Amino acid sequence: MIFRNSLATRLTFALILSTLSLPAFAQECLFETECYEADACQETAFSLTADLDGERLITDFGDLTIVAAKQSGALTTIFSTGDGAEYLLSRNGDTARFTAHANDGPTVITYLGTCKGEF
């Protein structure tokens, strides 16, 4: 097969490469609200990708290891761990909650947002 350096060939190749870097089963989550302990909640821009095939949550601050996941009806719950904290991601429809339970303190940070995609 001969490949020509046409725009269509380059676009097709770019599309193939972009899909190779995506997890096969993933959810993209965006959180707009952050609540720290008993302080008032405030706006934020935090995102993560839940990659069940790779057993990880890919976050703005680094990857977390998924240790368990369960589904009950429309509710999906993912338990993960990382440096100095345990994490819980809950999704029901598009609505999502992500909590970080720091071992130092203890301290809890809650993020409110949405997730798109399927497992």
Side-chain angles (χ1 to χ4, degrees):
M1 178 186 287
I2 298 174
F3 290 100
R4 296 187 183 171
N5 194 9
S6 70
L7 178 59
T9 301
R10 286 181 283 168
L11 289 175
T12 301
F13 187 69
L15 178 62
I16 290 169
L17 284 179
S18 70
T19 59
L20 291 176
S21 65
L22 295 175
F25 296 102
Q27 292 186 7
E28 302 291 328
C29 303
L30 178 61
F31 300 94
E32 301 88 18
T33 304
E34 176 185 76
C35 307
Y36 181 81
E37 289 287 319
D39 295 348
C41 296
Q42 51 191 314
E43 288 184 28
T44 193
F46 171 68
S47 64
L48 66 80
T49 300
D51 172 13
L52 283 186
D53 285 347
E55 297 180 350
R56 63 192 175 139
L57 294 181
I58 304 162
T59 73
D60 296 343
F61 58 86
D63 291 358
L64 306 172
T65 302
I66 294 175
V67 294
K70 70 177 194 173
Q71 190 160 14
S72 177
L75 177 65
T76 301
T77 307
I78 298 173
F79 304 88
S80 59
T81 189
D83 289 334
E86 307 302 320
Y87 302 87
L88 175 66
L89 172 64
S90 299
R91 176 186 178 184
N92 192 348
D94 288 343
T95 302
R97 303 289 183 265
F98 180 72
T99 56
H101 302 260
N103 297 334
D104 183 28
T107 304
V108 174
I109 304 170
T110 301
Y111 296 91
L112 311 173
T114 58
C115 292
K116 304 285 185 199
E118 298 300 327
F119 286 135

